[in-house]
Coordinates of all heavy atoms in Angstrom, one line a residue:
M17 N 0.8 -1.2 0.0 CA 0.0 0.0 0.0 C 0.9 1.2 0.0 O 1.8 1.4 0.8 CB -0.9 0.0 1.3 CG -1.8 1.1 1.3 SD -3.1 0.8 2.5 CE -3.0 2.2 3.5
A18 N 0.6 2.2 -0.9 CA 1.4 3.4 -1.0 C 1.1 4.3 0.2 O 0.0 4.4 0.6 CB 1.1 4.1 -2.3
R19 N 2.2 5.0 0.6 CA 2.0 5.9 1.7 C 1.7 7.3 1.1 O 2.2 7.7 0.1 CB 3.3 6.0 2.5 CG 3.5 4.7 3.3 CD 4.7 4.8 4.1 NE 4.3 5.6 5.3 CZ 5.2 5.8 6.3 NH1 6.4 5.4 6.3 NH2 4.8 6.5 7.3
V20 N 0.9 8.1 1.8 CA 0.7 9.5 1.4 C 1.9 10.3 1.7 O 2.5 10.2 2.8 CB -0.5 10.0 2.2 CG1 -0.8 11.5 1.9 CG2 -1.8 9.2 1.9
P21 N 2.4 11.1 0.8 CA 3.6 11.8 1.0 C 3.4 12.8 2.2 O 2.3 13.3 2.4 CB 3.8 12.6 -0.3 CG 3.1 11.9 -1.3 CD 1.9 11.2 -0.6
S22 N 4.5 13.0 3.0 CA 4.4 13.9 4.1 C 4.0 15.3 3.7 O 3.4 16.0 4.5 CB 5.7 13.9 4.9 OG 6.8 14.4 4.1
A23 N 4.4 15.7 2.5 CA 4.0 17.1 2.0 C 2.5 17.2 1.9 O 2.0 18.3 2.3 CB 4.6 17.3 0.6
V24 N 1.8 16.2 1.5 CA 0.4 16.2 1.4 C -0.3 16.2 2.8 O -1.2 16.9 3.1 CB -0.1 15.0 0.6 CG1 -1.7 14.9 0.6 CG2 0.4 15.1 -0.9
V25 N 0.3 15.4 3.7 CA -0.2 15.3 5.1 C -0.1 16.7 5.7 O -1.1 17.2 6.4 CB 0.5 14.2 5.9 CG1 0.1 14.3 7.3 CG2 0.3 12.9 5.3
A26 N 1.1 17.3 5.6 CA 1.3 18.6 6.3 C 0.4 19.7 5.7 O -0.2 20.4 6.4 CB 2.8 19.0 6.2
A27 N 0.4 19.8 4.4 CA -0.5 20.8 3.8 C -1.9 20.5 4.1 O -2.7 21.5 4.4 CB -0.2 20.8 2.2
G28 N -2.3 19.3 4.0 CA -3.7 18.9 4.4 C -4.1 19.3 5.8 O -5.2 19.6 6.1
G29 N -3.1 19.2 6.7 CA -3.4 19.5 8.1 C -3.6 21.0 8.3 O -4.5 21.4 9.0
L30 N -2.9 21.8 7.5 CA -3.1 23.3 7.6 C -4.4 23.7 7.0 O -5.2 24.4 7.6 CB -1.9 24.0 6.9 CG -0.6 23.9 7.7 CD1 0.6 24.3 6.8 CD2 -0.6 24.9 8.9
V31 N -4.7 23.2 5.8 CA -5.9 23.5 5.1 C -7.1 22.9 5.8 O -8.1 23.5 6.1 CB -5.9 23.0 3.6 CG1 -7.2 23.2 3.0 CG2 -4.8 23.8 2.9
G32 N -7.0 21.6 6.2 CA -8.1 20.9 6.9 C -8.4 21.5 8.3 O -9.5 21.6 8.7
G33 N -7.3 21.8 9.0 CA -7.5 22.4 10.3 C -8.3 23.7 10.2 O -9.2 24.0 11.0
Y34 N -7.9 24.6 9.3 CA -8.6 25.8 9.1 C -10.1 25.6 8.7 O -11.0 26.2 9.2 CB -7.9 26.8 8.2 CG -8.7 28.0 7.9 CD1 -8.8 29.0 8.9 CD2 -9.4 28.2 6.7 CE1 -9.6 30.1 8.7 CE2 -10.1 29.4 6.5 CZ -10.3 30.3 7.5 OH -11.0 31.4 7.3
G35 N -10.2 24.7 7.7 CA -11.6 24.4 7.2 C -12.5 23.9 8.3 O -13.6 24.4 8.4
V36 N -12.0 23.0 9.1 CA -12.8 22.4 10.1 C -13.2 23.5 11.2 O -14.3 23.6 11.6 CB -12.1 21.2 10.8 CG1 -12.8 20.8 12.1 CG2 -12.1 20.0 9.9
A37 N -12.2 24.3 11.5 CA -12.5 25.4 12.5 C -13.5 26.4 11.9 O -14.4 26.8 12.6 CB -11.2 26.1 12.9
R38 N -13.4 26.7 10.7 CA -14.3 27.7 10.1 C -15.7 27.1 9.9 O -16.7 27.8 10.2 CB -13.7 28.1 8.7 CG -14.6 29.1 8.1 CD -13.9 29.9 7.1 NE -14.9 30.9 6.5 CZ -14.5 31.9 5.9 NH1 -13.3 32.3 5.8 NH2 -15.4 32.7 5.3
W39 N -15.8 25.9 9.4 CA -17.1 25.4 9.1 C -17.9 24.9 10.3 O -19.1 24.8 10.3 CB -17.0 24.3 8.1 CG -16.7 24.9 6.7 CD1 -17.2 26.0 6.2 CD2 -15.7 24.4 5.8 NE1 -16.6 26.3 4.9 CE2 -15.7 25.3 4.7 CE3 -14.8 23.4 5.8 CZ2 -14.9 25.1 3.6 CZ3 -14.0 23.2 4.7 CH2 -14.0 24.1 3.6
T40 N -17.2 24.5 11.4 CA -17.8 24.0 12.6 C -18.0 25.1 13.6 O -18.8 25.0 14.5 CB -17.1 22.9 13.3 OG1 -15.8 23.4 13.7 CG2 -16.9 21.7 12.4
G41 N -17.2 26.2 13.5 CA -17.2 27.3 14.4 C -16.5 26.9 15.7 O -16.6 27.6 16.7
K42 N -15.8 25.8 15.7 CA -15.1 25.3 16.9 C -13.6 25.3 16.6 O -13.1 24.4 16.0 CB -15.6 23.9 17.3 CG -17.1 23.9 17.7 CD -17.5 22.6 18.3 CE -18.9 22.5 18.5 NZ -19.5 23.6 19.3
R43 N -12.9 26.3 17.1 CA -11.4 26.4 16.8 C -10.7 25.2 17.4 O -9.7 24.8 16.8 CB -10.9 27.7 17.4 CG -11.5 28.9 16.7 CD -11.0 30.2 17.3 NE -9.6 30.3 17.2 CZ -8.9 31.4 17.5 NH1 -9.5 32.5 18.0 NH2 -7.6 31.5 17.3
Q44 N -11.1 24.7 18.5 CA -10.4 23.6 19.2 C -10.5 22.4 18.3 O -9.5 21.6 18.2 CB -11.0 23.3 20.5 CG -11.0 24.4 21.5 CD -12.1 25.3 21.4 OE1 -12.9 25.3 20.5 NE2 -12.2 26.2 22.4
L45 N -11.6 22.1 17.6 CA -11.7 21.0 16.7 C -10.7 21.1 15.5 O -10.1 20.2 15.1 CB -13.1 20.8 16.2 CG -13.5 19.6 15.5 CD1 -13.1 18.3 16.3 CD2 -15.0 19.5 15.1
G46 N -10.6 22.4 15.0 CA -9.6 22.6 14.0 C -8.2 22.4 14.4 O -7.4 21.9 13.7
G47 N -8.0 22.7 15.7 CA -6.6 22.5 16.3 C -6.3 21.0 16.4 O -5.1 20.6 16.3
V48 N -7.3 20.2 16.7 CA -7.1 18.8 16.8 C -6.7 18.2 15.4 O -5.8 17.4 15.3 CB -8.4 18.0 17.3 CG1 -8.3 16.6 17.1 CG2 -8.6 18.4 18.7
V49 N -7.3 18.7 14.4 CA -7.0 18.3 13.0 C -5.6 18.7 12.7 O -4.7 18.0 12.2 CB -8.0 18.8 12.0 CG1 -7.5 18.6 10.5 CG2 -9.4 18.2 12.2
L50 N -5.3 20.0 13.0 CA -3.9 20.5 12.7 C -2.8 19.7 13.5 O -1.8 19.4 12.9 CB -3.9 22.0 13.2 CG -2.6 22.7 13.0 CD1 -2.4 23.2 11.6 CD2 -2.5 23.9 13.9
A51 N -3.1 19.4 14.7 CA -2.1 18.7 15.6 C -1.9 17.3 15.1 O -0.8 16.8 15.0 CB -2.5 18.8 17.0
A52 N -3.1 16.6 14.8 CA -3.0 15.2 14.3 C -2.2 15.1 13.0 O -1.3 14.2 12.9 CB -4.4 14.6 14.2
A53 N -2.5 16.0 12.1 CA -1.7 15.9 10.8 C -0.3 16.3 11.0 O 0.6 15.7 10.4 CB -2.4 16.9 9.8
G54 N 0.0 17.3 11.9 CA 1.4 17.6 12.2 C 2.1 16.5 12.8 O 3.3 16.2 12.5
A55 N 1.5 15.8 13.7 CA 2.2 14.6 14.4 C 2.4 13.5 13.3 O 3.5 12.9 13.3 CB 1.3 14.1 15.5
A56 N 1.5 13.2 12.5 CA 1.7 12.2 11.4 C 2.8 12.6 10.5 O 3.6 11.8 10.1 CB 0.3 12.0 10.7
A57 N 2.8 13.9 10.1 CA 3.9 14.4 9.2 C 5.2 14.3 9.9 O 6.2 13.9 9.3 CB 3.6 15.8 8.7
A58 N 5.3 14.7 11.1 CA 6.5 14.6 11.9 C 7.1 13.2 12.0 O 8.3 13.0 11.9 CB 6.4 15.2 13.3
R59 N 6.2 12.3 12.1 CA 6.7 10.9 12.2 C 7.3 10.5 10.8 O 8.3 9.8 10.8 CB 5.5 9.9 12.5 CG 5.9 8.5 12.7 CD 4.8 7.6 13.2 NE 3.5 7.7 12.5 CZ 2.4 8.2 13.0 NH1 2.4 8.6 14.2 NH2 1.3 8.3 12.2
Q60 N 6.6 10.9 9.8 CA 7.2 10.6 8.4 C 8.5 11.3 8.2 O 9.4 10.7 7.6 CB 6.2 10.9 7.3 CG 5.0 10.0 7.3 CD 4.0 10.4 6.1 OE1 3.8 11.6 5.9 NE2 3.5 9.4 5.5
W61 N 8.6 12.5 8.6 CA 9.8 13.3 8.4 C 11.0 12.6 9.2 O 12.0 12.5 8.6 CB 9.6 14.7 8.9 CG 8.7 15.6 8.1 CD1 8.4 15.4 6.8 CD2 7.8 16.6 8.6 NE1 7.5 16.4 6.4 CE2 7.1 17.1 7.5 CE3 7.6 17.2 9.8 CZ2 6.2 18.2 7.6 CZ3 6.7 18.3 9.9 CH2 6.0 18.8 8.8
R62 N 10.7 12.2 10.4 CA 11.7 11.5 11.2 C 12.2 10.2 10.5 O 13.4 10.0 10.4 CB 11.3 11.2 12.6 CG 12.4 10.7 13.5 CD 11.9 10.5 14.9 NE 10.9 9.4 14.9 CZ 9.6 9.5 15.3 NH1 9.2 10.7 15.6 NH2 8.8 8.5 15.3
E63 N 11.2 9.5 9.9 CA 11.6 8.2 9.3 C 12.4 8.5 8.0 O 13.3 7.7 7.6 CB 10.3 7.4 8.9 CG 9.6 6.8 10.1 CD 8.2 6.3 9.7 OE1 7.9 6.3 8.5 OE2 7.5 5.8 10.6
R64 N 12.0 9.5 7.2 CA 12.6 9.7 5.9 C 13.9 10.6 5.9 O 14.7 10.5 5.1 CB 11.6 10.3 5.0 CG 10.4 9.4 4.7 CD 9.4 10.0 3.9 NE 8.3 9.0 3.7 CZ 7.2 9.3 3.2 NH1 6.9 10.5 2.7 NH2 6.2 8.4 3.1
A65 N 13.9 11.6 6.9 CA 15.0 12.5 6.8 C 15.8 12.7 8.1 O 16.8 13.4 8.2 CB 14.4 13.9 6.4
G66 N 15.4 12.0 9.2 CA 16.1 12.0 10.4 C 15.5 13.0 11.4 O 14.7 13.9 11.1
G67 N 16.0 12.9 12.6 CA 15.5 13.7 13.7 C 15.7 15.2 13.6 O 14.7 16.0 13.8
P68 N 16.9 15.7 13.3 CA 17.1 17.1 13.1 C 16.2 17.7 12.0 O 15.6 18.8 12.2 CB 18.6 17.2 12.8 CG 19.2 16.0 13.4 CD 18.1 14.9 13.2
A69 N 16.1 17.1 10.9 CA 15.2 17.6 9.8 C 13.8 17.6 10.3 O 13.0 18.5 10.0 CB 15.4 16.7 8.6
A70 N 13.4 16.5 11.0 CA 12.0 16.4 11.4 C 11.7 17.6 12.4 O 10.6 18.2 12.4 CB 11.7 15.1 12.1
G71 N 12.6 17.9 13.3 CA 12.5 19.0 14.2 C 12.3 20.3 13.5 O 11.5 21.1 13.8
A72 N 13.2 20.5 12.5 CA 13.2 21.8 11.8 C 11.8 21.9 11.0 O 11.2 23.0 10.9 CB 14.4 21.9 10.8
L73 N 11.4 20.8 10.3 CA 10.2 20.9 9.6 C 9.0 21.1 10.5 O 8.0 21.7 10.2 CB 10.0 19.6 8.8 CG 10.9 19.4 7.6 CD1 10.9 18.0 7.1 CD2 10.5 20.4 6.5
S74 N 9.0 20.5 11.7 CA 7.9 20.7 12.7 C 7.8 22.2 13.1 O 6.8 22.7 13.2 CB 8.1 19.8 13.9 OG 8.0 18.4 13.5
V75 N 9.0 22.8 13.4 CA 9.1 24.2 13.7 C 8.5 25.0 12.5 O 7.7 26.0 12.8 CB 10.5 24.6 14.1 CG1 10.6 26.2 14.1 CG2 10.9 24.0 15.4
G76 N 8.8 24.6 11.3 CA 8.3 25.3 10.1 C 6.8 25.2 10.0 O 6.1 26.1 9.6
Y77 N 6.3 24.0 10.4 CA 4.8 23.8 10.3 C 4.1 24.7 11.3 O 3.1 25.3 10.9 CB 4.6 22.3 10.7 CG 3.2 21.8 10.6 CD1 2.5 21.5 9.4 CD2 2.4 21.6 11.8 CE1 1.2 21.1 9.4 CE2 1.1 21.1 11.8 CZ 0.5 20.9 10.6 OH -0.8 20.4 10.5
V78 N 4.6 24.8 12.5 CA 4.0 25.6 13.5 C 4.1 27.1 13.1 O 3.2 27.9 13.3 CB 4.6 25.4 14.9 CG1 4.1 26.4 15.9 CG2 4.2 23.9 15.4
A79 N 5.3 27.5 12.6 CA 5.5 28.9 12.2 C 4.6 29.2 11.0 O 4.1 30.3 10.9 CB 7.0 29.0 11.7
A80 N 4.3 28.3 10.1 CA 3.4 28.5 9.0 C 2.0 28.8 9.5 O 1.3 29.7 9.1 CB 3.4 27.4 8.0
F81 N 1.6 28.0 10.5 CA 0.3 28.2 11.1 C 0.2 29.6 11.7 O -0.7 30.3 11.5 CB 0.0 27.1 12.2 CG -1.1 27.4 13.1 CD1 -2.4 27.4 12.6 CD2 -0.9 27.7 14.4 CE1 -3.5 27.7 13.5 CE2 -1.9 28.0 15.3 CZ -3.2 28.0 14.8
A82 N 1.2 29.9 12.5 CA 1.2 31.2 13.2 C 1.3 32.4 12.2 O 0.6 33.4 12.3 CB 2.4 31.3 14.2
G83 N 2.1 32.2 11.1 CA 2.3 33.2 10.1 C 1.1 33.4 9.2 O 0.9 34.5 8.7
S84 N 0.2 32.4 9.1 CA -1.0 32.6 8.3 C -1.9 33.6 8.9 O -2.7 34.2 8.1 CB -1.7 31.3 8.1 OG -2.3 30.8 9.4
H85 N -1.9 33.8 10.2 CA -2.8 34.8 10.8 C -2.5 36.3 10.4 O -3.4 36.9 9.9 CB -2.8 34.6 12.3 CG -3.4 33.3 12.8 ND1 -2.6 32.2 12.7 CD2 -4.6 33.0 13.2 CE1 -3.4 31.2 13.2 NE2 -4.6 31.7 13.4
P86 N -1.3 36.7 10.5 CA -1.1 38.1 10.0 C -1.1 38.2 8.5 O -1.6 39.3 8.0 CB 0.3 38.5 10.5 CG 1.0 37.2 10.9 CD -0.1 36.3 11.2
L87 N -0.8 37.2 7.8 CA -0.9 37.2 6.4 C -2.3 37.3 5.9 O -2.6 37.9 4.9 CB -0.2 35.9 5.8 CG -0.2 35.8 4.3 CD1 0.6 37.0 3.6 CD2 0.4 34.5 3.9
A88 N -3.2 36.6 6.7 CA -4.6 36.7 6.3 C -5.2 38.1 6.4 O -6.2 38.4 5.6 CB -5.4 35.8 7.3
K89 N -4.6 38.9 7.2 CA -5.1 40.3 7.3 C -4.8 41.1 6.0 O -5.4 42.1 5.7 CB -4.5 41.0 8.5 CG -5.1 40.5 9.8 CD -4.4 41.1 11.0 CE -5.0 40.5 12.2 NZ -4.5 41.1 13.5
K90 N -3.8 40.6 5.3 CA -3.3 41.3 4.1 C -4.0 40.7 2.8 O -4.3 41.5 1.9 CB -1.8 41.3 3.9 CG -1.1 42.0 5.0 CD 0.3 42.0 4.9 CE 1.0 42.6 6.1 NZ 1.8 43.7 5.8
V91 N -4.1 39.4 2.7 CA -4.6 38.8 1.5 C -5.9 38.0 1.7 O -6.4 37.5 0.7 CB -3.5 37.8 0.9 CG1 -2.2 38.6 0.6 CG2 -3.2 36.7 1.9
G92 N -6.4 37.8 2.9 CA -7.6 37.1 3.1 C -7.2 35.7 3.7 O -6.1 35.2 3.6
A93 N -8.2 35.1 4.4 CA -8.0 33.9 5.1 C -7.6 32.7 4.2 O -6.5 32.1 4.5 CB -9.2 33.6 6.0
W94 N -8.4 32.4 3.3 CA -8.1 31.2 2.4 C -6.8 31.4 1.6 O -6.0 30.4 1.6 CB -9.3 30.9 1.5 CG -10.4 30.1 2.3 CD1 -11.6 30.5 2.6 CD2 -10.3 28.8 2.8 NE1 -12.3 29.5 3.3 CE2 -11.5 28.5 3.4 CE3 -9.2 27.8 2.8 CZ2 -11.7 27.2 4.0 CZ3 -9.5 26.6 3.4 CH2 -10.7 26.3 4.0
P95 N -6.6 32.5 1.0 CA -5.3 32.6 0.3 C -4.1 32.5 1.2 O -3.1 31.9 0.8 CB -5.4 34.1 -0.3 CG -6.8 34.3 -0.5 CD -7.5 33.7 0.7
A96 N -4.2 33.0 2.4 CA -3.1 32.9 3.4 C -2.9 31.4 3.7 O -1.8 30.9 3.8 CB -3.4 33.7 4.7
V97 N -4.0 30.7 4.0 CA -3.9 29.3 4.4 C -3.3 28.5 3.2 O -2.4 27.6 3.4 CB -5.2 28.7 4.8 CG1 -5.2 27.2 5.0 CG2 -5.7 29.3 6.1
F98 N -3.8 28.7 2.0 CA -3.3 28.0 0.8 C -1.8 28.3 0.6 O -1.0 27.5 0.2 CB -4.1 28.2 -0.4 CG -5.4 27.5 -0.4 CD1 -6.6 28.1 -0.6 CD2 -5.5 26.1 -0.2 CE1 -7.8 27.5 -0.6 CE2 -6.7 25.4 -0.2 CZ -7.8 26.1 -0.4
G99 N -1.4 29.6 0.8 CA -0.1 30.0 0.6 C 0.9 29.3 1.6 O 2.0 28.8 1.1
V100 N 0.6 29.3 2.8 CA 1.5 28.7 3.8 C 1.5 27.2 3.6 O 2.5 26.5 3.8 CB 1.2 29.1 5.3 CG1 1.4 30.6 5.4 CG2 -0.1 28.6 5.8
A101 N 0.3 26.6 3.3 CA 0.3 25.2 3.1 C 1.1 24.8 1.9 O 1.9 23.7 1.9 CB -1.2 24.7 2.8
G102 N 1.1 25.6 0.8 CA 2.0 25.3 -0.3 C 3.4 25.4 0.0 O 4.2 24.6 -0.4
A103 N 3.8 26.4 0.8 CA 5.2 26.5 1.2 C 5.7 25.4 2.1 O 6.7 24.8 1.9 CB 5.4 27.9 2.0
V104 N 4.8 24.9 3.0 CA 5.1 23.8 3.8 C 5.3 22.5 3.0 O 6.2 21.7 3.2 CB 4.1 23.6 5.0 CG1 4.2 22.3 5.6 CG2 4.3 24.7 6.0
A105 N 4.4 22.3 2.1 CA 4.4 21.2 1.2 C 5.7 21.2 0.4 O 6.4 20.1 0.2 CB 3.2 21.2 0.3
L106 N 6.1 22.3 -0.2 CA 7.3 22.4 -1.0 C 8.5 22.0 -0.2 O 9.4 21.2 -0.6 CB 7.4 23.8 -1.6 CG 8.6 24.0 -2.5 CD1 8.6 23.1 -3.7 CD2 8.7 25.5 -2.9
V107 N 8.7 22.6 1.0 CA 9.8 22.3 1.8 C 9.8 20.9 2.3 O 10.9 20.2 2.3 CB 9.9 23.3 3.0 CG1 11.0 22.9 4.0 CG2 10.1 24.8 2.5
S108 N 8.7 20.4 2.7 CA 8.6 19.0 3.1 C 9.0 18.0 2.0 O 9.7 17.1 2.2 CB 7.1 18.7 3.5 OG 7.0 17.4 3.9
W109 N 8.5 18.3 0.8 CA 8.9 17.5 -0.3 C 10.4 17.5 -0.6 O 11.1 16.5 -0.8 CB 8.2 17.9 -1.6 CG 8.6 17.1 -2.8 CD1 8.2 15.9 -3.2 CD2 9.6 17.6 -3.7 NE1 9.0 15.5 -4.3 CE2 9.8 16.5 -4.7 CE3 10.4 18.7 -3.9 CZ2 10.7 16.6 -5.7 CZ3 11.3 18.8 -4.9 CH2 11.5 17.7 -5.8
A110 N 11.0 18.7 -0.6 CA 12.4 18.9 -0.8 C 13.3 18.2 0.2 O 14.3 17.6 -0.1 CB 12.7 20.4 -0.9
V111 N 12.8 18.3 1.5 CA 13.7 17.7 2.6 C 13.4 16.2 2.8 O 14.4 15.5 3.0 CB 13.4 18.5 3.9 CG1 14.1 17.9 5.0 CG2 13.9 20.0 3.7
A112 N 12.2 15.8 2.7 CA 11.9 14.4 3.1 C 11.3 13.5 2.0 O 11.8 12.4 1.8 CB 10.9 14.4 4.2
D113 N 10.4 14.0 1.2 CA 9.7 13.2 0.2 C 10.5 12.9 -1.0 O 10.4 11.8 -1.6 CB 8.3 13.8 -0.1 CG 7.4 13.8 1.0 OD1 7.5 13.0 1.9 OD2 6.5 14.7 1.0
R114 N 11.3 13.8 -1.4 CA 12.1 13.7 -2.7 C 13.0 12.4 -2.6 O 13.2 11.8 -3.6 CB 12.9 14.9 -2.9 CG 13.7 14.9 -4.1 CD 14.4 16.2 -4.3 NE 15.1 16.7 -3.1 CZ 16.1 17.5 -3.1 NH1 16.5 18.0 -4.3 NH2 16.7 17.9 -2.1
R115 N 13.4 12.1 -1.4 CA 14.3 11.0 -1.2 C 13.6 9.6 -1.2 O 14.2 8.6 -1.4 CB 15.1 11.1 0.1 CG 15.9 12.4 0.2 CD 16.4 12.5 1.6 NE 17.1 13.8 1.7 CZ 17.8 14.2 2.7 NH1 17.8 13.4 3.8 NH2 18.3 15.4 2.7
A116 N 12.3 9.7 -1.0 CA 11.6 8.4 -0.8 C 11.3 7.7 -2.2 O 11.3 8.3 -3.2 CB 10.3 8.7 -0.1

């Protein structure tokens, strides 16, 4: 069975977390989605690229989430979320998935 690339898991966590929070009106539920996807991606990053890379990618994931908030004030919520999700996916692919 093929594994889902970590880039897709991480980007999906950012987009899915925001979508769940927005559509349910429950930010905590969106946070659960964000955290679960982040943990799954971190496990894949560690397996594919090692601990230091996984740590750096995890910090980037959290920074992207945090950075989407001020970015949303300039470009709108969905464009900000898609932008940071794309950046996280690109870096994740370059560091971990490209080698797989």
Side-chain angles (χ1 to χ4, degrees):
M17 183 164 127
R19 294 183 74 179
V20 176
S22 63
V24 173
V25 174
L30 289 162
V31 173
Y34 176 69
V36 166
R38 178 156 181 161
W39 289 316
T40 65
K42 299 190 184 305
R43 293 177 65 172
Q44 299 86 350
L45 191 56
V48 168
V49 172
L50 180 80
R59 184 174 50 247
Q60 288 182 320
W61 292 330
R62 188 178 65 246
E63 291 171 0
R64 295 177 183 172
L73 288 166
S74 295
V75 167
Y77 182 78
V78 173
F81 166 70
S84 70
H85 291 80
L87 183 59
K89 292 180 181 179
K90 296 181 186 236
V91 299
W94 279 112
V97 170
F98 285 128
V100 300
V104 166
L106 180 64
V107 172
S108 178
W109 174 82
V111 173
D113 295 333
R114 178 174 54 157
R115 300 175 186 184

